[in-house]
Amino acid sequence: MVNAPHNQIELQNIEIIRNQKTILTANISVPLKGITAIIGPNGSGKTTFLKLVHGLIDFDSGNYLPGADKLRSALVLHHTPLISASVRTNLAIIRDTEDIHSISDADIDLALADVGLLNLAEQSALKLSAGERQRLSLARAKLQNSKTILLDEPTANLDPSSTDQMEIIIKKLAGQGSSIIFTSHNLAQVERLANQIIFISKGSCSEVTDKDVFFKNPPSKDAESFLHHELGWL
C-alpha cells in the first residue's frame, strides 16, 4: 500500500456498500494534526467514517492511503466494554495486545493521573460514571501511544462538568502531539475544540474546511442548510 504524502490520510473515491445501498462515499485528504470534527445530520455516515479510518470496516472500491506513519490509531466508541476488575486492571490488560510491549505500572498510573482517575485506580471499573468511563477510554488510547485518536460523540449524554473535563483532556492530548478526529452533534463544542471540519451529508464527504471558514462561509448548500437548522439562523 502506498502511503499518503506528509502527515495526512487520503481517501480516494472510496465507496462502502451494504445491502446494495451506498452508505458512504469519500474523496478527501484529512490532515493528521490538531483536532478535526466530523459533523452532519443523523445517519449521514459519521461513525462509519471513523470505523473506516480505523480499519474496522472494508470499503468496496477506491484507495485508502494511510499516511507516513501508517496511522497508528485508537477508536473510542460510546460504550467501551469493561471487565469486572479494578480501573487499573482494565487499563493494564492492553499489555496483552500483540503490538503493545513494556508498559510499566508507572506508565499506567501516569495515564490514569492524566485523565484524573488515579484516585479511583483500585475501584471497580463497573462502578465508574459515564464520564469516568470515557476518561478511562482516553487513558487507554494514550497508553497505546496512538498517533491518531478517533472519538465517536465523546461527550454524548454527559453532564456539563463531565463534558468540560473531557474537552480539557482532548485539548491536552492534541497539545501533546496526538491527532484527534471526533464526531459531535454539539456545534458549540465543535467551535471550541476543532481546527478543521469534515462535513458529511447523505453519506458523502469530499472536503475539509477550516473551522472559522466553515461557520462563516459554509462550503456547500447542504452545509449551509445544516447550520441554519442546528443553529436556528434566520
Side-chain angles (χ1 to χ4, degrees):
M1 180 183 291
V2 177
N3 290 330
H6 308 300
N7 198 26
Q8 66 183 35
I9 59 174
E10 291 189 6
L11 306 174
Q12 299 176 340
N13 300 311
I14 292 288
E15 188 174 38
I16 298 175
I17 301 171
R18 297 292 183 269
N19 299 320
Q20 299 182 326
K21 179 182 178 181
T22 299
I23 63 171
L24 184 70
T25 62
N27 190 34
I28 194 169
S29 296
V30 183
L32 295 178
K33 63 179 183 179
I35 302 176
T36 302
I38 304 175
I39 64 175
N42 287 335
S44 59
K46 299 185 293 296
T47 301
T48 298
F49 185 94
L50 288 184
K51 291 180 177 180
L52 168 66
V53 168
H54 189 57
L56 276 184
I57 58 176
D58 294 325
F59 50 90
D60 295 277
S61 62
N63 295 305
Y64 177 27
L65 309 182
D69 65 1
K70 296 186 179 179
L71 195 65
R72 183 181 179 87
S73 63
L75 174 62
V76 179
L77 298 173
H78 283 306
H79 304 292
T80 301
L82 300 174
I83 64 172
S84 181
S86 70
V87 169
R88 178 180 280 113
T89 299
N90 270 267
L91 202 52
I93 58 176
I94 70 168
R95 287 169 169 159
D96 298 330
T97 60
E98 60 183 68
D99 58 349
I100 301 293
H101 305 285
S102 66
I103 295 175
S104 69
D105 290 342
D107 293 330
I108 291 170
D109 285 349
L110 180 60
L112 289 172
D114 278 347
V115 298
L117 292 178
L118 185 57
N119 62 317
L120 301 178
E122 301 307 324
Q123 175 182 301
S124 169
L126 300 183
K127 294 182 179 179
L128 294 178
S129 68
E132 290 164 346
R133 288 179 180 226
Q134 284 294 78
R135 284 190 275 148
L136 180 59
S137 295
L138 289 185
R140 182 180 296 158
K142 180 178 180 181
L143 199 57
Q144 289 173 308
N145 195 29
S146 304
K147 299 295 184 182
T148 299
I149 299 176
L150 310 168
L151 307 173
D152 190 25
E153 293 282 348
T155 61
N157 302 318
L158 299 187
D159 60 40
S161 177
S162 296
T163 295
D164 289 345
Q165 289 176 308
M166 282 292 292
E167 290 186 3
I168 289 169
I169 296 168
I170 290 169
K171 288 179 180 178
K172 182 177 182 179
L173 290 171
Q176 292 172 342
S178 294
S179 170
I180 309 294
I181 303 176
F182 77 104
T183 67
S184 180
H185 286 94
N186 185 336
L187 294 187
Q189 179 179 77
V190 169
E191 287 198 277
R192 288 192 298 270
L193 294 180
N195 302 112
Q196 51 269 334
I197 291 174
I198 298 171
F199 178 69
I200 302 181
S201 178
K202 302 170 186 174
S204 175
C205 59
S206 60
E207 189 168 359
V208 178
T209 309
D210 176 84
K211 183 267 303 285
D212 293 331
V213 173
F214 183 89
F215 282 100
K216 292 177 182 177
N217 186 24
S220 68
K221 289 293 185 182
D222 280 348
E224 183 177 7
S225 176
F226 175 76
L227 291 179
H228 272 264
H229 180 268
E230 295 296 317
L231 298 178
W233 290 353
L234 298 177

